[in-house]
């Protein structure tokens, strides 16, 4: 499958990893929008939040279980999690991912 984040998972494209286990991977975004900008993805290919279902939702829970671990590792005292879903939601890489943003005091609004 021609998926950028699947290629990062299998090592075809390098990434600056901050956390990895058997189910998920977290790496620094190539174009950070905040001082700390990490992308957290399931290793299994799920296209977007719209494709989460009974059989694959465990990995989403696992991501949220590990977000505090990753945030602590990055010394984040407060952060924002963003998911963009499909083209109208601003998604550009069609492999489910959560943006972890922080490293400064963020405003209340997203846009
Ligand atoms: P989206 O717009 O789909 O929510 O987010 C995709 C994110 O992936 C963007 O923030 C973009 O900067 C990041 N990105 C795109 N290509 C690469 C890449 O090759 N490596 C890394 N580390 N991040 C990437
Ligand atoms: Zn993928």
């Amino acid at each position: 499958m021609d998926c950028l984040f699947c290629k990062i998972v299998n090592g075809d494209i390098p990434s600056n990893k901050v956390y990895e286990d058997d189910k998920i991977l977290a790496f620094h975004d190539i174009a950070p929008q905040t001082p700390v900008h990490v992308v957290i993805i399931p290793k299994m290919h799920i296209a977007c939040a719209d494709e989460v279902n009974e059989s694959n939702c465990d990995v989403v829970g696992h991501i949220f279980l590990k977000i505090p671990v990753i945030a602590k590792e990055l010394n984040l005292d407060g952060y924002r999690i963003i998911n963009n879903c499909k083209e109208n939601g601003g998604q550009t890489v069609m492999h489910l991912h959560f943006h972890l943003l922080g490293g400064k005091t963020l405003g209340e609004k997203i846009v």
Side-chain angles (χ1 to χ4, degrees), residues 13-80:
I13 293 175
S15 66
N16 189 357
K17 293 176 189 176
V18 297
Y19 177 83
E20 181 173 19
D21 63 27
D22 57 327
K23 299 183 190 71
I24 69 172
L25 177 64
F27 52 89
H28 289 283
D29 197 289
I30 204 167
Q33 302 298 305
T34 46
V36 176
H37 184 174
V38 164
V39 177
I40 309 171
I41 69 173
K43 287 189 168 178
M44 70 188 299
H45 182 85
I46 302 170
C48 63
D50 238 24
E51 300 293 326
V52 174
N53 57 43
E54 287 284 352
S55 67
N56 65 19
C57 65
D58 284 4
V59 75
V60 178
H62 187 73
I63 285 173
F64 278 82
L65 182 68
K66 295 302 177 183
I67 281 172
V69 175
I70 296 165
K72 191 173 183 195
E73 177 74 21
L74 294 165
N75 290 313
L76 295 181
D77 180 18
Y79 47 84
R80 175 171 295 145

Side-chain angles (χ1 to χ4, degrees), residues 4-5 8 13 27-31 37 84 90-93 97 99:
L4 180 71
F5 286 174
I8 286 178
I13 293 175
F27 52 89
H28 289 283
D29 197 289
I30 204 167
H37 184 174
N84 297 327
Q91 187 178 5
T92 60
V93 178
H97 56 280
H99 299 262

Side-chain angles (χ1 to χ4, degrees), residues 93-108:
V93 178
M94 299 302 157
H95 180 127
L96 179 68
H97 56 280
F98 296 89
H99 299 262
L100 170 61
L101 301 163
K104 67 169 191 174
T105 302
L106 303 173
E108 294 176 17

